Amino acid sequence: MKILLASSEVEPIAKTGGLADVCGTLPRELERLGHEVVVFLPAYRSVRRAPVPITATSVQLAVPVGSKLVTGRLLESRLPDSQVVVYLVENEPYFDRQQLYGENGSDYPDNCERFVFFCRAVLEAIRLLDLEIDLIHANDWQTALLPVYLKCELDATSPYENIPSLLTIHNLAYQGRFWHWDMLLTGLDWKYFNWRQMEFYGQLNLLKSGIAFADAINTVSPTYALEIQTSEQGYGLEGALQHRAGVLSGILNGIDTRAWNPRTDPHLSMNYDLENWREGKAKNKATLQQQMGLKVDPKIPLIGIVGRMASQKGWSLIMPVMQHWLATIDAQWVVLGTGQPEYESAVAALRNKHSDKLGINLSFSEPLAHLIEAGADLFLMPSQYEPCGLNQMYSMAYGTVPVVRRTGGLADTVVDTNDATLERGTANGFSFNAFLPQALEQSLARAVWTYQSKPDVWQRLVERGMTSDWSWSQSARKYAELYERTITLFRAERQHV
Ligand code: ADP
């Protein structure tokens, strides 16, 4: 198959979050499976610092945006260690800016216009480059107009335009909502501005538009695909998603096993694998305890937390439990994260009171994140919602047992420990349902009790996590299957028309 993947972020060229990881890794894995992938990305200012060579092409674009004809140019690059071609859509006024989407906490006011241009430029580039594309894979609201243009505007008899589309939702909280007059920028007929298609409570909603028109939709875990169809987690789009339930599925992200491998990780004080994890983890635990100013003690359970300090990550549960445990229970905590000031200051205050049991680092540190994954005994991730989540998979790959809330990708990767799951050999962590501190505390207590009193069970949990396949190759195979299904269905429907 020949796939066109369009995204507003692609690692290692432009990144603000997990979207970039998926769109940087998936194309390379698909190439390994024998598929051809071409990637499109805006040429932001930051691409000049990218660790890949970028060259100019002679391809000039001119596309309508509202009443203007806007010009641009294509640059070309490649994803590292691959033949995957990346086309960067250049338009300096739109993309030569300090950030990707906004500055100082405010979105750029012309974000709708910027991504209308980008989507139109991608479609125009197919024609100009004479690409034969079997499917267009759009990602999140920034590229969600691609399925809309394919269905509503283009000439279905043209080989360049008779293309099915898949829309991946990486986080439903971000939808690309704009005032209704931005509909004019899209150039689409006002008849599409209705509650079934592009309109959302009086506004233009780009993600909703993509949901309405894509041939297939997926999210980054099977459970999240179900959860977003409920009013609790649908952010108002549950109805639109229920309407497309027949073509909505979930595929878990993988982890980058080159960067996250305890055998080769350069950030660890000792590398280890399944054969010597006890020794390896003990060594890293001692280094971590030392670095964080905690007592160096191999026996005391060490609980690690890494991530954004946002409500989504369950800080309203973590704070009361941590406070209670620091005062009453002999366990150590290490926190690495930045985010909402109220959580940062609450953790800092606890650190002042319990510096013997709590180590904190309120910054972004890749090396420390790796050391925590290796040195902690338990990893805590009680998220309120979690489209996929990476940290729980890193933990398991490093033999660190996760304690998580059973939601989204956490529900799909962490299997709670009980008699039945132990018998089946599937147990790899601890999980709970209710978004309540008491539920977290119970799970954490079960985990610590198992760590201290059931070393044989603990060994099974650690080894189950370390031997599971969290790599991208599995996920890429599932994407290839989804592409194939979508193309077959699309072609079959066309034949009937
Ligand atoms: P999300 O994308 O919602 O933030 P994920 O678990 O999917 O959550 O991915 C978060 C990624 O960012 C992980 O790789 C995690 O280790 C990393 N990360 C988050 N905060 C920090 C930090 N303060 N220092 C280092 N890495 C961090």
Side-chain angles (χ1 to χ4, degrees), residues 19 37 42 55 64 78-79 90 105 113 171 181 232 266 283 328 350-351 354 366 403 467 470:
L19 169 66
V37 189
T55 52
R78 255 168 230 273
L79 291 182
E90 188 183 61
E113 184 174 340
N171 189 335
W181 287 115
E232 290 78 32
K283 197 83 189 265
T328 57
L350 277 181
R351 159 77 183 179
H354 301 281
E366 195 75 35
V403 178
T467 49
W470 307 111

Side-chain angles (χ1 to χ4, degrees), residues 257-308:
T257 46
R258 287 173 310 172
W260 291 92
N261 182 347
R263 229 180 266 223
T264 52
D265 192 329
H267 303 298
L268 308 193
S269 53
M270 178 181 158
N271 289 115
Y272 58 91
D273 58 19
L274 201 59
E275 302 306 313
N276 63 345
W277 64 266
R278 283 178 198 283
E279 192 196 345
K281 284 191 65 69
K283 197 83 189 265
N284 285 293
K285 182 172 177 177
T287 309
L288 181 62
Q289 286 170 323
Q290 211 168 19
Q291 235 183 62
M292 302 307 286
L294 302 172
K295 186 174 157 208
V296 177
D297 179 342
K299 291 244 163 59
I300 186 165
L302 201 165
I303 303 158
I305 302 173
V306 180
R308 289 182 292 120

Side-chain angles (χ1 to χ4, degrees), residues 17-18 21 171 260 306-308 312-313 336-338 361 363-366 369 373 381 386-392 394:
D21 293 312
N171 189 335
W260 291 92
V306 180
R308 289 182 292 120
Q312 183 206 330
K313 300 293 175 184
L336 168 64
T338 55
N361 183 331
S363 71
F364 195 94
S365 167
E366 195 75 35
E373 295 293 6
M381 205 165 163
E386 195 60 75
C388 176
L390 292 173
N391 273 308
Q392 81 280 14
Y394 299 155

